Amino acid sequence: MKPTLFLLAAGMGSRYGGLKQLDGLGPNGETIMDYSIYDAIHAGFGKLVFVIRKDFEKDFREKIISKYEGHIPCEVVFQSLDAIPEGFKVPEGRTKPWGTNHALMMGENVIHEPFGIVNCDDFYGRDTFEVMGKFLSSLPEGSKNKYAMVGFRVGNTLSESGTVSRGVCQTDANHLLQGVVERTKIERHDGVVQYLDEDGKWVSIDDKTPVSMNFWGFTPDYFAYSDEYFKTFLSDPKNMSNLKSEFFIPLMVDKLIKDHTATVEVLDTTSKWFGVTYPQDRPDTVAKIKSLVDAGVYPSKLF
């Protein structure tokens, strides 16, 4: 069975402003998502599932889904604030959805095969889809508790317009993930990659240090773990009183690793990430896509 690609398209770009997912950056108005989907199809993924906001559906179907008809099967699911387990209530005043792992949970009824999950506003590059597609496709039928994450080399993921947030990964000798620490300020300074730690000090790290760009690979058993742990998350008064608390994928993954329930293999990639973190990143992203098209990596018109 071919793996599915699950695309997180429910978020707004707070720093960039507006719906980054619909921004045409390619020579014929292609979005970053279009390039991810083109690469995924060529890497052997057999279905797309998008998680979006319900009020975004009409625009999304007209501008996005319509392009892929005839190329690959597509499904749409919706993330909403009130999609929580029975017995829990949305805290008064909360308007923000519950984060990336909550968005992932919305796919439970339509995904029954190994799947990769990606952001829609990150340009991951072809190699990332190939390494993840190979991992998911090679899993034995009915496989459980063996997951993966594409580990970008941190030096390939920086922005020239400011600091970036990345999940800095710790791995063992077998390339299995031991933990992910979210670092909210990473940049290159005097040629060296550094992050700002909890004490306000800049810490240098090697260019090849693996970081998470939210490209994960799971099997369907992951949904049941998420359903159960989300109840624990909602039962914590801190998470209910903080109106911006989020149920992130690394939070769920970290629990499964610490409990020795699952392993997560970190897949190395030589791909260079780019995207539009800040408005001033846009011209550079347009130029990078154009150079890939000019070099023949992508056709000028994808679909």
Side-chain angles (χ1 to χ4, degrees):
M1 189 177 288
K2 289 185 175 184
T4 284
L5 185 67
F6 194 5
L7 299 106
L8 298 173
M12 291 281 287
S14 57
R15 279 178 293 190
Y16 181 49
L19 287 168
K20 288 193 281 186
Q21 293 89 348
L22 295 184
D23 194 3
L25 301 169
N28 288 288
E30 291 85 1
T31 64
I32 284 179
M33 187 171 14
D34 290 334
Y35 289 96
S36 291
I37 289 167
Y38 182 86
D39 285 339
I41 290 171
H42 285 262
F45 286 81
K47 182 174 76 175
L48 306 177
V49 176
F50 300 89
V51 57
I52 65 172
R53 299 192 321 268
K54 183 67 178 174
D55 64 344
F56 183 26
E57 182 181 11
K58 185 174 183 293
D59 247 9
F60 198 82
R61 288 191 182 277
E62 289 176 359
K63 297 180 180 179
I64 301 293
I65 297 287
S66 60
K67 284 188 275 193
Y68 311 131
E69 290 173 348
H71 294 282
I72 188 170
C74 301
E75 303 242 18
V76 175
V77 296
F78 305 104
Q79 183 182 22
S80 62
L81 185 58
D82 58 359
I84 56 177
E86 194 174 334
F88 292 92
K89 290 184 178 179
V90 176
E92 189 177 344
R94 183 174 180 116
T95 58
K96 188 180 181 66
W98 298 98
T100 51
N101 208 74
H102 178 252
L104 180 155
M105 291 164 62
M106 302 303 104
E108 184 167 5
N109 292 329
V110 299
I111 298 177
H112 310 290
E113 57 283 317
F115 64 98
I117 182 162
V118 295
N119 296 331
C120 287
D121 48 8
D122 288 313
F123 194 105
Y124 289 101
R126 180 161 303 167
D127 184 65
T128 58
F129 290 95
E130 289 177 349
V131 297
M132 183 60 81
K134 183 179 179 182
F135 174 87
L136 295 172
S137 298
S138 65
L139 289 172
E141 190 172 344
S143 181
K144 294 181 178 181
N145 303 328
K146 287 186 69 174
Y147 309 144
M149 186 205 82
V150 176
F152 275 78
R153 299 172 184 181
V154 66
N156 287 340
T157 73
L158 305 178
S159 167
E160 294 177 9
S161 304
T163 60
V164 296
S165 296
R166 300 287 179 255
V168 178
C169 303
Q170 295 90 46
T171 59
D172 67 12
N174 297 314
H175 308 292
L176 296 179
L177 187 65
Q178 301 301 295
V180 181
V181 179
E182 189 70 19
R183 299 296 181 187
T184 56
K185 293 195 174 182
I186 303 178
E187 65 181 6
R188 190 182 297 279
H189 184 70
D190 290 336
V192 179
V193 180
Q194 300 177 318
Y195 67 79
L196 194 66
D197 72 6
E198 301 82 2
D199 300 321
K201 296 179 180 177
W202 288 97
V203 179
S204 301
I205 52 175
D206 189 272
D207 264 52
K208 292 184 178 179
T209 302
V211 296
S212 167
M213 296 301 299
N214 225 27
F215 193 163
W216 302 89
F218 299 116
T219 44
D221 51 297
Y222 185 85
F223 290 117
Y225 298 130
S226 297
D227 293 342
E228 206 53 44
Y229 195 47
F230 190 40
K231 295 174 188 174
T232 303
F233 177 90
L234 294 174
S235 298
D236 186 334
K238 291 200 308 291
N239 293 326
M240 295 304 270
S241 61
N242 178 359
L243 300 181
K244 293 187 176 179
S245 62
E246 296 189 57
F247 187 41
F248 290 120
I249 292 172
L251 186 70
M252 182 72 249
V253 168
D254 190 58
K255 174 180 168 49
L256 295 174
I257 292 172
K258 296 284 195 301
D259 290 351
H260 303 288
T261 300
T263 60
V264 180
E265 185 175 340
V266 178
L267 310 174
D268 182 44
T269 181
T270 55
S271 283
K272 291 188 175 181
W273 169 93
F274 58 88
V276 185
T277 304
Y278 301 93
Q280 54 266 45
D281 289 332
R282 191 182 189 282
D284 187 50
T285 297
V286 170
K288 285 176 177 174
I289 291 175
K290 184 179 184 302
S291 69
L292 289 169
V293 173
D294 290 346
V297 177
Y298 297 102
S300 60
K301 188 168 176 57
L302 295 177
F303 297 102

